[in-house]
């Protein structure tokens, strides 16, 4: 599986720090980095420029939805990446991953299904 579009530079607008805990859904635009814990869904409010980074100490207990997602921490819930997802070494996902493009490092763990979804912008011909 190949990462079709690498994100050159990630601009983080919001940080949930390592000693922070958020209970409830989080809606974001731009760049969001989670180093603490989120008990709720994490949902992007943009079409294509949003980036979510779940850092190594980060934990999300809920569903994740966004165009570009990078996971290095732990997720307990389904992940929906409309563009691409990167699972770094040490990533732990307990749930299904729906993706258009996937990059998975050695040492990442997925306990669920990997479901490929075609991008709506790609036209297939026979």
């Amino acid at each position: 599986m190949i990462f079709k579009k690498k994100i050159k530079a990630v601009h983080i607008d919001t940080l949930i720090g390592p000693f922070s805990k958020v209970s409830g859904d989080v809606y974001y635009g731009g760049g969001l980095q989670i180093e603490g814990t989120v008990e709720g869904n994490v949902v992007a409010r943009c079409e294509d420029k949003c980036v979510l980074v779940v850092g190594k100490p980060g934990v999300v207990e809920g569903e994740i939805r966004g165009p570009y997602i990078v996971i290095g921490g732990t997720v307990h819930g389904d992940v929906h990446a409309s563009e691409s997802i990167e699972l770094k070494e040490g990533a732990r996902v307990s749930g299904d991953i729906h993706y258009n493009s996937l990059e998975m490092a050695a040492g990442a763990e997925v306990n669920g299904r990997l479901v490929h979804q075609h991008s709506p912008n790609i036209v297939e011909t026979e």
Side-chain angles (χ1 to χ4, degrees):
M1 294 169 197
I2 299 172
F3 209 32
K4 292 180 184 174
K5 295 180 184 176
K6 285 276 190 184
I7 301 169
K8 300 279 188 214
V10 176
H11 179 73
I12 300 300
D13 300 305
T14 306
L15 171 67
I16 297 174
F19 302 107
S20 300
K21 178 179 177 180
V22 176
S23 295
D25 295 344
V26 175
Y27 299 92
Y28 70 97
L32 169 62
Q33 184 161 342
I34 299 173
E35 298 291 323
T37 300
V38 174
E39 294 176 342
N41 300 324
V42 181
V43 181
R45 290 291 190 197
C46 63
E47 293 288 323
D48 61 350
K49 302 264 189 220
C50 293
V51 177
L52 170 67
V53 178
V54 179
K56 193 168 185 106
V59 177
V60 175
E61 296 176 5
E63 186 176 273
I64 294 177
R65 289 183 176 272
Y68 296 98
I69 300 170
V70 179
I71 299 175
T74 303
V75 176
H76 299 285
D78 291 347
V79 180
H80 299 265
S82 60
E83 291 296 327
S84 62
I85 183 167
E86 180 181 350
L87 301 175
K88 296 196 168 283
E89 180 181 354
R92 302 285 178 259
V93 179
S94 296
D96 296 343
I97 297 178
H98 302 261
Y99 66 94
N100 180 31
S101 176
L102 170 71
E103 181 177 324
M104 186 171 178
E109 178 182 307
V110 176
N111 294 306
R113 297 179 307 141
L114 297 176
V115 182
H116 182 258
Q117 299 175 334
H118 293 288
S119 173
N121 299 331
I122 297 174
V123 177
E124 292 185 10
T125 58
E126 293 183 17

